[in-house]
Amino acid sequence: MGKPDSSLGKMKALILVGGYGTRLRPLTLSRPKPLVEFCNKPMLMHQIEALVDAGVNHVILAVSYRAEQLEQDVKEQAEKLQIRISMSHETEPLGTAGPLALAREILTSDEEPFFVLNSDVICDFPFKEMVIFHKEHAKEGTIVVTKVEEPSKYGVVIYDERGRIDQFVEKPQEFVSNKINAGMYIFNPSVLNRIKLQPTSIEKEVFPLMAQDQQLFAMELQGFTKGFWMDVGQPKDFLTGMCLYLTSLKKKNPSSLYEGETVVGNVLVDKSAIIGANCRIGPNVVVGPDVIIEDGVCIKRCTLLRGARVRSHSWLESCIIGWKCTVGQWVRMENVSVLGEDVIVKDELYINGGKVLPHKAISESVPDPQIIM
């Protein structure tokens, strides 16, 4: 990470971290989603570090759920980064716009534009480019858009060649655009005049009116960084995002990737992890702190969280192994299997797409995808 860019002024950012993280269960049964490690760093810290790098010195977290654990962890990070992190507590869920009204006092304390982010997004964050683009068009808001293969699954954004947004179309059945809202915005404080302190959707209730008033612009992610974008809020996408992130790391900071005779492709390994003999690790594997991988293990396209142990001769593909889990010997796991915290999988089992709740011991194979309570 470079030095914060002081030329951009002292900006603020609000991150929407209010949800229950239901899509990422069973991991979020043990800790709030923003603190689940993505590529060996809490998801939230990927965003906060990139914001600090772009000149943000005050981050507001819009929280409603399990705020104590979040507050504690984030306080330490704030001291390290020498920034201010405030908590804005919702007593009732306020949607995606209400939290801005709740934090109105902080956000309007000066005339500077501020960032708003969804906490599930991982990408090559284009925050510096957003500031420049926003100041150039000089209107009330900028949203980042990204190109997707299947626009019919999303709401798409339609805009002119300068980026001025004309309209939003929800899940279009015919092709009108393949650009979707990427969950990263920058607004002038005046946007708060449009938002009441009540449950409100910024996407459905605020953006269309801003577009009508010609006050909302779209900045294309592809145009600025040939980077990647992923909403990593559910296990399948978490693993896809991990692959994209490792590819990006390979380009930007190849020395941070792990090298060794056991390794194939892009692999990230914490210094404290131990890998046995005759293993095949990779491509696309993240090994967290204090993880132990015994001899003869094959792992591809997986994340292993802190303190997990994989016993000898097991084979894992497309899995997330939770904190302090133990996978027995000669186990085969695949198809986006996710183990919550402290799960034990006995020897010689086959797990196919199983989502296992924390603190369970599995003593039978799981041949079909299911949730194991």
Side-chain angles (χ1 to χ4, degrees):
M1 211 179 88
K3 269 190 140 57
D5 189 339
S6 55
S7 67
L8 296 172
K10 295 295 175 218
M11 296 182 68
K12 301 184 198 73
L14 178 115
I15 305 180
L16 300 164
V17 292
Y20 290 109
T22 43
R23 296 183 306 153
L24 200 54
R25 282 181 184 163
L27 300 173
T28 46
L29 295 170
S30 297
R31 61 185 62 193
K33 183 175 57 184
L35 297 180
V36 171
E37 296 89 353
F38 175 86
C39 295
N40 288 349
K41 188 188 291 180
M43 270 190 216
L44 185 64
M45 293 316 299
H46 286 275
Q47 295 188 329
I48 290 179
E49 287 179 6
L51 286 164
V52 170
D53 201 30
V56 167
N57 70 344
H58 188 174
V59 174
I60 302 111
L61 301 179
V63 292
S64 61
Y65 168 67
R66 291 177 49 188
E68 303 73 28
Q69 196 180 350
L70 196 58
E71 203 151 352
Q72 209 177 325
D73 274 45
V74 155
K75 219 163 110 179
E76 290 166 32
Q77 302 293 350
E79 282 163 22
K80 269 189 218 160
L81 293 167
Q82 298 177 312
I83 58 163
R84 195 169 155 209
I85 299 182
S86 309
M87 297 281 173
S88 177
H89 291 265
E90 301 174 20
T91 47
E92 58 162 339
L94 290 170
T96 46
L100 279 73
L102 190 62
R104 168 189 287 272
E105 227 165 277
I106 306 176
L107 296 173
T108 54
S109 62
D110 56 34
E111 290 303 300
E112 280 295 312
F114 57 85
F115 292 100
V116 175
L117 312 180
N118 290 345
S119 67
D120 294 349
V121 170
I122 291 284
C123 67
D124 289 327
F125 296 110
F127 296 140
K128 291 176 185 174
E129 293 86 352
M130 283 170 76
V131 176
I132 294 161
F133 180 86
H134 182 75
K135 290 190 167 167
E136 275 174 0
H137 69 66
K139 298 294 187 205
E140 201 164 55
T142 298
I143 73 176
V144 176
V145 296
T146 186
K147 196 156 115 186
V148 288
E149 295 301 314
E150 289 179 58
S152 62
K153 293 198 322 202
Y154 304 90
V156 299
V157 186
I158 297 169
Y159 50 92
D160 67 17
E161 62 289 344
R162 292 177 310 148
R164 188 172 60 77
I165 294 175
D166 183 40
Q167 59 168 323
F168 297 85
V169 180
E170 198 49 49
K171 298 187 178 165
Q173 291 316 297
E174 292 170 21
F175 184 87
V176 283
S177 161
N178 58 2
K179 306 294 194 309
I180 65 160
N181 172 354
M184 294 178 279
Y185 321 126
I186 187 166
F187 300 122
N188 295 343
S190 59
V191 78
L192 289 155
N193 302 331
R194 299 175 179 272
I195 303 170
K196 292 192 178 78
L197 183 50
Q198 61 192 43
T200 313
S201 160
I202 200 162
E203 299 85 358
K204 295 191 171 78
E205 298 173 63
V206 180
F207 287 169
L209 295 174
M210 290 174 77
Q212 226 173 310
D213 296 343
Q214 305 193 353
Q215 286 295 324
L216 193 58
F217 275 64
M219 180 186 116
E220 286 181 35
L221 194 56
Q222 276 74 9
F224 286 88
T225 54
K226 291 282 174 274
F228 69 97
W229 175 90
M230 199 71 207
D231 172 337
V232 294
Q234 51 190 338
K236 176 170 68 64
D237 297 336
F238 184 99
L239 289 169
T240 303
M242 172 196 77
C243 300
L244 295 168
Y245 180 86
L246 291 174
T247 303
S248 167
L249 211 51
K250 170 91 173 163
K251 282 186 213 138
K252 289 205 269 191
N253 186 8
S255 63
S256 63
L257 293 172
Y258 185 75
E259 302 218 336
E261 53 196 44
T262 52
V263 165
V264 184
N266 300 334
V267 174
L268 189 63
V269 178
D270 186 86
K271 285 197 264 303
S272 59
I274 297 168
I275 298 176
N278 303 319
C279 290
R280 184 181 186 277
I281 311 295
N284 297 314
V285 172
V286 173
V287 179
D290 307 322
V291 167
I292 296 173
I293 297 170
E294 295 183 4
D295 298 353
V297 169
C298 176
I299 303 179
K300 41 189 164 177
R301 204 171 181 272
C302 291
T303 285
L304 284 69
L305 295 170
R306 179 188 293 274
R309 184 177 196 124
V310 181
R311 311 210 68 138
S312 53
H313 307 295
S314 283
W315 187 98
L316 278 61
E317 180 170 8
S318 294
C319 300
I320 304 174
I321 307 298
W323 309 271
K324 304 197 280 284
C325 287
T326 301
V327 175
Q329 299 180 332
W330 297 98
V331 167
R332 182 180 176 114
M333 287 179 64
E334 61 188 350
N335 191 18
V336 196
S337 289
V338 185
L339 304 184
E341 184 175 14
D342 175 38
V343 167
I344 296 170
V345 178
K346 301 281 176 67
D347 296 350
E348 299 178 22
L349 296 181
Y350 172 54
I351 311 286
N352 172 24
K355 309 275 188 290
V356 186
L357 271 62
H359 316 297
K360 306 284 300 172
I362 301 296
S363 49
E364 291 174 16
S365 288
V366 179
D368 299 306
Q370 57 177 285
I371 294 168
I372 294 128
M373 309 288 276

